[in-house]
Amino acid sequence: MIRKLLRRIFRRPEDHARPNATRPSGPVSIPIAQHGISRDALLPAARRVCEGLQAEGYQAYVVGGAVRDLIAGIVPKDFDVATSATPEQVTAVFRRARMIGRRFKIVHVMFGRDTIEVTTFRGDSEAVTDEHGRILHDNVFGTMEEDAARRDFTVNALYYDPATETVIDFHHGVADLKQKTLRMIGEAPRRYREDPIRMLRAVRLAAKLGLVIDPDAREPIRSMASLLENVPPARLFDEMLKLLTSGHAVRCVRQLREDGLHHGLLPLLDVILEQPMGERFVMLALERTDERVREGKSISPGFLFATLLWHEVLADWEKRKAAGESSIPAMFEAMTVVLDQQAEKLAITRRIATDIKDIWALQPRFDARAGKRPFRLLELPRYRAAYDFLLLRAGSGEVPQELADWWTEFADADGPTRETMLRPEEAVKKRRRVRRKPTGSAQVAPE
Ligand code: ATP
Ligand code: MG
């Protein structure tokens, strides 16, 4: 119903007269009759933060992604508040508030289980940049208007006031959202130089919201993609993770390839995507991830990165075995080489790296279907993740589907049935001997 209402309202001709994007006109106050977002649509904690700050005489608005998502009919992931109060003043207003960050302090205000991120309006003067024009710090407070101008896309510079239920729109973001356009505030090349991550955000937000990236924002991407190399790896990793767990990973990765962005991101991703088997595997993994996200299920970053890098491990592993190294040590060597290579670009955290290795290291053990080993494998805490990974390998044609089916059945079966499913040790040994001949098979008999 709200959608219908929005459609009717937004069809009004004055909304279609899109003003010039580079012309910053004054703020427009959009009443609820036009945007349809009642204060009840907010997370109660976000509303209480705004009300608490306003009661003390500060300006406070729900800002950014949450307002954008509500207008677009999407449930917001998180609620952020922007205010004229300094971090110290914010912490003085709320009982459960915690200042975080070193250079630019923000405040986390907790209500029950919810946390609201509260940021003081930022100004855009005196920003310190590196030799490429990338902003290193911008720790000056500013006015609400300056705060809006610092944001990346017009649809992200919307401020919602729960007290009046109005949206304050400095850059025609509501009209852009309605017209399905992702438009940069200011000149795109300069904004990408200031923060190259915005190129990735453009791709992710366009996919998430079903928007078309405005040509002015899209065209510079190809030639500026290399600036991503100057971004600190930890930030790149966070943004990649957001992109891959957005529920639109397949669409994002396609767009990244089209825009020539995948080279800078995962140095190996383009190589993988150029091998037919690798591409099938990665795309299948991303499809499954998208499905899980859309069903509201959790995603393990370790699993995700394990899938992205698997074919590199496979290639290195095969090379080592062909050179006479024995299977398991060769596998561990390959894992280390691939992760080290990746760590230079993306700061994969130690914990995630451990998860990735656990999943990879169990893969050769699925080939053992005799004796006690299958039982031991089932008991391992990482069995489930490793099994899900095996399903992807089978789905992409890397290993026979029969192997994955066997494990599905084995895990479900009762004790006596499991015994009947085991392969005789002798037969396994014989087959292994046969397989050692150079058949070019990708399957390995682990030992
Ligand atoms: P989502 O929450 O769906 O990931 P978002 O746009 O809310 O998307 P956040 O990282 O939560 O992304 O950022 C909140 C807001 O901060 C944005 O809406 C935008 O206004 C601003 N912002 C975030 N990153 C940047 C950036 N790199 N440059 C300029 N503004 C940014
Ligand atoms: Mg957000």
Side-chain angles (χ1 to χ4, degrees):
M1 246 174 44
I2 286 181
R3 273 168 190 272
K4 231 188 221 163
L5 179 73
L6 282 178
R7 219 175 290 138
R8 210 181 59 228
I9 293 160
F10 285 129
R11 226 183 276 128
R12 286 149 50 130
E14 63 266 30
D15 275 326
H16 281 268
R18 232 212 74 76
N20 187 334
T22 54
R23 194 188 67 206
S25 46
V28 181
S29 190
I30 302 172
I32 185 168
Q34 278 181 42
H35 58 70
I37 310 303
S38 108
R39 58 177 78 89
D40 300 332
L42 305 179
L43 193 68
R47 191 172 143 186
R48 287 169 72 178
V49 169
C50 290
E51 287 168 354
L53 289 167
Q54 289 175 354
E56 296 298 318
Y58 304 112
Q59 289 172 282
Y61 301 90
V62 174
V63 68
V67 185
R68 173 200 71 207
D69 289 354
L70 284 171
I71 296 177
I74 298 172
V75 178
K77 226 172 40 190
D78 43 41
F79 282 81
D80 300 327
V81 166
T83 180
S84 59
T86 64
E88 288 75 14
Q89 290 167 334
V90 176
T91 27
V93 174
F94 301 101
R95 202 166 48 84
R96 292 173 65 209
R98 195 159 44 97
M99 237 189 290
I100 58 164
R102 256 176 300 158
R103 283 211 201 91
F104 196 95
K105 293 197 169 52
I106 60 173
V107 182
H108 280 175
V109 180
M110 275 90 56
F111 280 104
R113 294 168 60 221
D114 297 315
T115 299
I116 304 298
E117 200 167 289
V118 183
T119 320
T120 306
F121 294 145
R122 286 191 210 188
D124 58 354
S125 56
E126 293 174 45
V128 181
T129 59
D130 70 4
E131 74 271 25
H132 305 283
R134 187 166 71 82
I135 292 185
L136 299 175
H137 5 140
D138 56 342
N139 39 5
V140 246
F141 298 138
T143 63
M144 180 176 177
E145 182 151 8
E146 285 169 337
D147 186 83
R150 272 193 60 266
R151 293 180 184 271
D152 44 9
F153 303 101
T154 63
V155 297
N156 284 347
L158 300 173
Y159 298 73
Y160 180 83
D161 180 1
T164 58
E165 297 184 311
T166 51
V167 169
I168 315 219
D169 183 356
F170 286 89
H171 298 277
H172 314 287
V174 174
D176 281 342
L177 197 51
K178 167 61 192 153
Q179 285 163 22
K180 301 241 164 256
T181 302
L182 190 70
R183 197 183 308 273
M184 186 68 89
I185 296 172
E187 285 164 26
R190 181 174 61 81
R191 305 301 313 275
Y192 289 144
R193 269 195 298 277
E194 286 175 356
D195 183 5
I197 284 284
R198 289 173 184 150
M199 294 187 260
L200 293 180
R201 286 180 51 86
V203 169
R204 175 169 65 86
L205 293 174
K208 167 176 170 166
L209 296 156
L211 305 182
V212 173
I213 306 175
D214 173 57
D216 285 347
R218 173 137 191 221
E219 270 150 26
I221 291 182
R222 187 171 285 279
S223 61
M224 299 185 78
S226 61
L227 289 178
L228 280 165
E229 286 165 22
N230 307 320
V231 173
R235 254 199 103 205
L236 200 52
F237 179 76
D238 283 350
E239 188 55 37
M240 275 306 282
L241 197 57
K242 273 195 181 181
L243 189 145
L244 294 169
T245 57
S246 64
H248 306 278
V250 169
R251 216 191 294 168
C252 284
V253 167
R254 289 222 175 91
Q255 181 78 48
L256 290 178
R257 294 174 80 182
E258 253 176 61
D259 288 336
L261 270 175
H262 57 297
H263 289 277
L265 297 178
L266 287 158
L268 307 167
L269 189 58
D270 44 339
V271 184
I272 298 161
L273 292 176
E274 271 141 35
Q275 309 161 352
M277 186 103 89
E279 157 142 32
R280 208 162 351 132
F281 181 80
V282 167
M283 284 304 181
L284 194 61
L286 295 181
E287 274 167 33
R288 296 267 166 87
T289 307
D290 283 350
E291 277 166 27
R292 283 186 67 89
V293 173
R294 290 174 196 199
E295 288 165 9
K297 294 183 184 158
S298 67
I299 294 295
S300 134
F303 189 88
L304 198 54
F305 281 94
T307 61
L308 293 178
L309 301 172
W310 172 242
H311 273 254
E312 285 303 308
V313 176
L314 263 191
D316 196 69
W317 187 25
E318 289 300 321
K319 211 163 62 196
R320 285 170 192 281
K321 281 185 296 173
E325 289 182 40
S326 47
S327 178
I328 295 293
M331 172 72 166
F332 277 84
E333 272 300 308
M335 289 181 354
T336 307
V337 166
V338 170
L339 276 177
D340 282 353
Q341 244 170 340
Q342 205 57 45
E344 286 173 24
K345 279 269 160 156
L346 288 177
I348 295 182
T349 60
R350 204 175 296 242
R351 202 180 56 78
I352 294 177
T354 306
D355 288 349
I356 296 174
K357 283 189 187 166
D358 284 349
I359 292 168
W360 286 344
L362 293 183
Q363 296 310 307
R365 297 179 57 172
F366 283 108
D367 286 330
R369 291 189 268 176
K372 293 265 173 283
R373 281 173 300 173
F375 294 96
R376 285 204 292 267
L377 185 51
L378 276 188
E379 295 308 315
L380 295 179
R382 304 296 293 164
Y383 168 78
R384 182 68 212 192
Y387 163 77
D388 285 341
F389 199 86
L390 175 73
L391 293 187
L392 288 176
R393 294 172 66 208
S396 67
E398 181 209 322
V399 293
Q401 185 60 42
E402 177 270 330
L403 180 66
D405 293 343
W406 187 90
W407 279 96
T408 307
E409 209 183 315
F410 187 72
D412 279 348
D414 55 21
T417 316
R418 282 181 183 171
E419 293 293 342
T420 66
M421 289 179 70
L422 293 175
R423 304 289 160 97
E425 287 279 6
E426 267 319 294
V428 171
K429 277 191 193 134
K430 241 185 250 154
R431 238 201 349 267
R432 223 177 271 155
R433 224 170 287 132
V434 173
R435 242 198 267 162
R436 282 223 180 89
K437 285 182 189 161
T439 55
S441 158
Q443 293 154 58
V444 191
E447 209 52 76

